[in-house]
Amino acid sequence: MPSTLTTPTTTVGSEVWRPLEDTDHAAAVSVVLKLRGETCDVDCLYCFEKRKLAPGGAQITIKHIRQLGQIFGERPLAIELHGGEPLTVGKKAMAALLDELAAQPTVHRVHLQTNGVRLDGEWLDLFDAHYPGLHIGISMDGDEQGNSWRIGYDGTAIYPHIVDALNLLAERGRTCGVVTVVTPAVLGRAAEVIDHIASFRAVRAVHLLPAFDTTVTRPLTTTGRRTSPSRRLQARAVSTDGPAWAITPAQYAAFVLDAAAHWIGAGHFRRIKLDPAVATIRRLKGLDTAHCHFAAHKCSHVFTAYPDGRFGSCDELPWPQAHLLPLAAARSEADITEAQRANPLLTAGRELMTKCLSCPYRTVCGGGCTATRWRMLNATGSDDAYCDHRRRLIDGMTHLLAAPDHPAGAHCLRAHWRPVVTTPTDDPDAFLTQWDDPATPHSPDRLRTSDHGNTQATGLSGEHAADDLDPHHPQRRDGNEDRVWPLVDTITRSWKAVTYDSCQGHAHTGTALAPSAFRIGLLPHTSTEYATLAARLCHTLAAADGYLPAAVTAHIVRTELTSTRTGRRHPVLNLTLIPAPGSTWTDYFTGLDQAVRTLTHVARHTPQVTECACASRPPRPTRETQ
């Protein structure tokens, strides 16, 4: 079965960072209103807003909201009522703010994020009266243990208040989203945590946020004569090595994949949206997402307004560096874009994204969070750990989409998603039926061999069109190129697997054609077979580790084959041999025959397995995985 393997090429700007002036006025912007700055009625130990020392006491006014409409004109506005704690403005002020937002024709969504402590029936009555479509978000870090960092100034847990708020929402027939900060208190307990959150009937969305706070080395400075119990607890939790609530990117990726696997397996996906899992899935399927970590509408489309009149970019960026201009000084969107172009932090953030140009994951990843990458780069000199965890999320979610009943494979370190475009195939299902039926009639195949050893229908180098050849076809052997045949034969005979594509690799010396790498494409019948083949390939590569020529690297590629007849996407696995980092194509082709012989020998002795080899024998680090 023929296949063309290429990598789409588009500009970085269109995929990972799009300036505000480059989008039309139909594209919404998000404005976070810090209603009372850092003022909050609880003192969560990891609170990032209080680390910015934003002004408290004052509050966002109706005048501020009207100014937003004047600045952005006809552009849609998504408003986030945030803090600190937004409910500390009081009911009278909140009613006036909601009335003003309801009167603004360009405000198409209002979301309120609260810790839930003050939420009661009167507040819900107020919301119904002044902004019935208000979206409510509750901050809850999973179960009681997970919420151990969320405390009051007196040091007591606020978890019981969160439970009361969620139950009240359910009683009133309202729904909400939950923001869960992933800390060591939930690591290793993803299924338990997701089940607990899902037990609340009001919850319709869960957003898992990482506590990437290893750069925090000092507790908050206490103002006043007395140090509150919460600040004493924070001081004990923070050291020069970072705070006790911090996790690494690798830990976050593992937790999200475990959470996503259980979310799928337990059927929670039918009621609850889980991010970043859903955002990853949408991008894998070529769909848009509003999640800015996966989209090009990043910091240039997210703004923050503070009570003292400061107006800046995303609230996750460091302040005051993210400050753009006083809100009162902004008369139009042109003033905003001029301030953005003059802001060194945004300029540096966009330049940071140029690293994505050479990354094959960029069409799905979208560059991630600029603020987090910036913090890691400044603290350690590298954002590689952040980029690696994004790759792990994409690799793992690809497996869960293909084999949801076999979640262990999501943690394989040798199988990687690639934006490989395979030439659409007429009907993969029909080909699988033909493969399994020895009575299928066969017509003579069109076979031509080019001067460079390409065997296909035209006999021209660089062409890939070829007829489908099942194991019962009399020309099966002739249709496979010499170097690739022994491994194809082993995989089809010993492993009983279906191969839909193969290429022995071609240097195309003396032509303008780019070299092509060795590959074999496997088309599983079922999700179980997909998981088994992925695990077997992983064990094969693990056993061959250290025995392949230095210039050749073996990879398992997760991608899809599309049926031109039905449009159905079939998850497939490709075994590829590519030049090792730093090696030339000449070095690669010099060692390719030995590499293929090694893999063929190992594959003949690799038994059928159910789990990959990574847990016992992780891959050696390479430039790509370090």
Side-chain angles (χ1 to χ4, degrees):
M1 187 171 288
S3 172
T4 302
L5 305 182
T6 60
T7 300
T9 56
T10 54
T11 62
V12 169
S14 66
E15 293 175 359
V16 298
W17 187 300
R18 191 168 300 154
L20 183 62
E21 62 265 33
D22 287 354
T23 59
D24 61 39
H25 276 72
V29 296
S30 176
V31 182
V32 181
L33 300 181
K34 298 289 186 179
L35 294 189
R36 296 197 64 209
E38 67 167 0
T39 299
C40 191
D41 47 3
V42 301
D43 200 28
C44 303
L45 303 192
Y46 53 57
C47 179
F48 75 92
E49 193 63 43
K50 291 177 181 177
R51 292 202 296 268
K52 292 190 291 186
L53 299 178
Q59 65 186 48
I60 294 288
T61 66
I62 291 175
K63 182 179 179 181
H64 291 138
I65 294 175
R66 289 175 180 168
Q67 182 72 8
L68 294 175
Q70 296 169 11
I71 292 170
F72 292 105
E74 298 301 315
R75 189 183 288 275
L77 301 177
I79 302 295
E80 305 281 335
L81 305 180
H82 218 277
E85 170 53 46
L87 298 189
T88 60
V89 300
K91 294 185 175 69
K92 181 178 179 180
M94 181 64 78
L97 292 171
L98 292 177
D99 285 342
E100 183 60 35
L101 289 168
Q104 293 289 335
T106 58
V107 173
H108 72 100
R109 182 181 186 275
V110 179
H111 178 95
L112 179 141
Q113 188 65 35
T114 175
N115 57 40
V117 170
R118 294 176 180 236
L119 196 65
D120 58 19
E122 291 184 4
W123 273 113
L124 295 182
D125 290 339
L126 185 151
F127 298 154
D128 289 339
H130 296 272
Y131 204 101
L134 180 70
H135 295 260
I136 297 176
I138 302 291
S139 300
M140 183 179 79
D141 300 343
D143 56 10
E144 185 172 10
Q145 180 181 334
N147 282 274
S148 57
W149 301 107
R150 301 182 55 76
I151 60 176
Y153 286 92
D154 60 359
T156 60
I158 67 168
Y159 174 75
H161 299 290
I162 302 172
V163 171
D164 289 343
L166 289 171
N167 289 334
L168 175 63
L169 289 170
E171 291 169 9
R172 295 288 292 266
R174 295 195 66 123
T175 61
C176 70
V178 166
V179 170
T180 296
V181 178
V182 179
T183 69
V186 299
L187 293 181
R189 303 190 303 114
E192 181 181 344
V193 168
I194 295 300
D195 279 344
H196 182 77
I197 296 174
S199 70
F200 295 96
R201 291 185 292 113
V203 177
R204 291 294 182 273
V206 180
H207 193 168
L208 302 175
L209 293 180
F212 290 159
D213 286 343
T214 53
T215 58
V216 176
T217 56
R218 291 185 299 175
L220 291 171
T221 302
T222 300
T223 58
R225 296 182 178 180
R226 295 184 178 181
T227 302
S228 68
S230 59
R231 296 299 168 89
R232 290 196 294 270
L233 288 171
Q234 187 192 66
R236 289 199 291 269
V238 178
S239 70
T240 55
D241 295 328
W245 64 77
I247 63 170
T248 67
Q251 289 173 323
Y252 176 67
F255 181 86
V256 171
L257 290 175
D258 285 340
H262 187 72
W263 169 70
I264 295 170
H268 296 318
F269 68 90
R270 297 184 179 91
R271 176 170 65 92
I272 295 173
K273 174 186 176 184
L274 178 68
D275 266 325
V278 169
T280 308
I281 291 170
R282 289 187 64 84
R283 296 305 298 136
L284 282 168
K285 291 187 173 296
L287 302 173
D288 291 333
T289 174
H291 196 314
C292 63
H293 295 186
F294 292 82
H297 293 178
K298 295 190 182 301
C299 310
S300 58
H301 288 71
V302 181
F303 301 94
T304 307
Y306 281 95
D308 63 349
R310 286 183 301 158
F311 192 69
S313 190
C314 174
D315 64 334
E316 293 188 29
L317 287 165
W319 284 72
Q321 297 96 315
H323 181 243
L324 295 174
L325 75 174
L327 187 59
R331 297 173 300 278
S332 68
E333 189 173 298
D335 294 330
I336 300 297
T337 55
E338 181 180 352
Q340 287 179 329
R341 287 192 294 267
N343 184 280
L345 183 64
L346 292 182
T347 299
R350 188 174 183 183
E351 291 175 351
L352 181 65
M353 294 293 166
T354 60
K355 175 182 178 182
C356 304
L357 180 61
S358 61
C359 179
Y361 290 84
R362 67 184 182 275
T363 55
V364 172
C365 172
C369 175
T370 311
T372 304
R373 289 179 62 177
W374 183 253
R375 286 197 303 271
M376 290 188 175
L377 187 64
N378 282 344
T380 66
S382 172
D383 61 352
D384 287 350
Y386 180 83
C387 293
D388 184 60
H389 106 276
R390 298 279 292 181
R391 292 190 288 262
R392 288 293 311 117
L393 285 176
I394 295 168
D395 293 340
M397 287 306 305
T398 304
H399 174 87
L400 291 177
L401 284 175
D405 295 333
H406 304 273
H411 297 282
C412 180
L413 299 176
R414 292 183 177 84
H416 306 291
W417 174 84
R418 284 292 180 269
V420 176
V421 177
T422 56
T423 298
T425 301
D426 181 46
D427 194 341
D429 288 311
F431 180 67
L432 288 172
T433 300
Q434 174 182 322
W435 183 283
D436 296 331
D437 184 6
T440 299
H442 298 97
S443 301
D445 190 30
R446 301 168 298 160
L447 292 180
R448 304 287 187 277
T449 301
S450 74
D451 294 338
H452 296 274
N454 306 81
T455 301
Q456 21 70 2
T458 66
L460 299 175
S461 297
E463 296 289 334
H464 302 271
D467 292 334
D468 300 336
L469 295 176
D470 60 75
H472 317 292
H473 198 289
Q475 293 172 282
R476 166 74 172 171
R477 169 62 187 90
D478 294 336
N480 286 268
E481 296 162 345
D482 290 343
R483 183 188 290 127
V484 77
W485 170 249
L487 187 50
V488 166
D489 190 46
T490 296
I491 290 174
T492 55
R493 288 178 182 271
S494 298
W495 292 17
K496 308 300 181 184
V498 177
T499 56
Y500 72 92
D501 172 55
S502 67
C503 177
Q504 70 175 9
H506 304 282
H508 294 144
T509 304
T511 74
L513 297 172
S516 57
F518 178 99
R519 67 178 182 274
I520 298 175
L522 282 68
L523 174 62
H525 290 80
T526 64
S527 61
T528 296
E529 185 179 351
Y530 178 98
T532 301
L533 286 174
R536 201 168 192 177
L537 286 169
C538 179
H539 276 271
T540 298
L541 267 57
D545 191 22
Y547 295 97
L548 297 182
V552 180
T553 299
H555 284 284
I556 307 165
V557 173
R558 302 187 190 273
T559 188
E560 293 179 326
L561 192 66
T562 303
S563 170
T564 56
R565 179 170 297 181
T566 66
R568 179 186 170 193
R569 293 183 173 187
H570 292 252
V572 295
L573 296 161
N574 292 335
L575 173 60
T576 66
L577 297 178
I578 62 174
S583 299
T584 66
W585 280 103
T586 299
D587 297 333
Y588 168 80
F589 283 108
T590 299
L592 185 56
D593 284 331
Q594 178 187 337
V596 176
R597 286 194 297 270
T598 299
L599 283 176
T600 303
H601 174 77
V602 172
R604 286 171 181 162
H605 297 85
T606 302
Q608 182 171 315
V609 289
T610 57
E611 294 187 6
C612 75
C614 293
S616 58
R617 193 175 180 183
R620 291 182 177 182
T622 66
R623 291 185 185 180
E624 181 178 300
T625 59
Q626 283 177 330

